[in-house]
Amino acid sequence: MSFKDIFEKWERGQSPNAMDAWVHAYKKDESDYKSSRNSGLRRRLRSKKPDDVLDIHGLTRDEAWLSLENFFSKAKNSAFEKVLVIHGKGNHSNGDAVLGRIVREFIEKCPYAGESGQEKASAGGSGATWILLKEAAAAAV
């Protein structure tokens, strides 16, 4: 069955969804179709500007953790898709960046923190981490 045949059936109302017919006709796994659609959503989420930003420069570990808890709770309740945490590069720390490590640890433990990554160099590089919230990321799965 060609795409033209599928389209004509759809126009006549014989197929409720042209894409479903195409997927079935070409024996595409539905998960392939969903996966490609969801990868587009994930790409959009990764490239979008953050819905909110938290700057934890100069905070102690405990202050940073509490700020992160409050920030992520607010983000979840506001149905944000993406947030940014500015923690600095640790230039004033002895050893590696303490706050960057705290942010990574928090992300691993937070039930609604999903995929994360470093910002582009022009937006803070390794001193800023973006995080996709799981409800938004779940829509992309």
Side-chain angles (χ1 to χ4, degrees):
M1 180 179 285
S2 71
F3 184 76
K4 179 183 176 199
D5 296 334
I6 293 168
F7 186 72
E8 286 172 355
K9 274 183 136 182
W10 178 75
E11 281 189 321
R12 290 189 304 262
Q14 295 174 335
S15 177
N17 184 324
M19 183 55 76
D20 289 341
W22 181 84
V23 168
H24 178 72
Y26 289 94
K27 299 189 179 11
K28 293 281 186 182
D29 184 346
E30 185 178 343
S31 64
D32 290 343
Y33 166 60
K34 286 181 180 176
S35 175
S36 66
R37 183 180 65 197
N38 294 336
S39 66
L41 176 58
R42 265 198 295 278
R43 224 179 355 264
R44 180 190 68 79
L45 290 173
R46 285 185 201 120
S47 65
K48 81 173 273 191
K49 291 189 184 297
D51 296 307
D52 203 357
V53 178
L54 174 67
D55 188 341
I56 59 173
H57 275 104
L59 300 182
T60 66
R61 293 172 198 245
D62 292 339
E63 291 169 336
W65 194 271
L66 184 60
S67 292
L68 288 164
E69 286 177 339
N70 291 333
F71 180 69
F72 275 81
S73 178
K74 175 186 158 200
K76 179 182 181 271
N77 291 334
S78 299
F80 290 160
E81 295 178 313
K82 181 179 181 179
V83 294
L84 178 68
V85 178
I86 301 170
H87 45 76
K89 296 179 182 180
N91 294 338
H92 304 289
S93 299
N94 296 332
D96 73 344
V98 174
L99 294 176
R101 191 172 52 241
I102 294 293
V103 169
R104 284 188 301 277
E105 183 181 334
F106 182 85
I107 291 169
E108 290 173 8
K109 293 181 179 184
C110 181
Y112 33 90
E115 181 181 345
S116 64
Q118 291 183 342
E119 272 293 338
K120 297 174 191 161
S122 62
S126 63
T129 302
W130 56 262
I131 303 100
L132 301 182
L133 297 181
K134 283 194 177 173
E135 295 213 358
V141 174

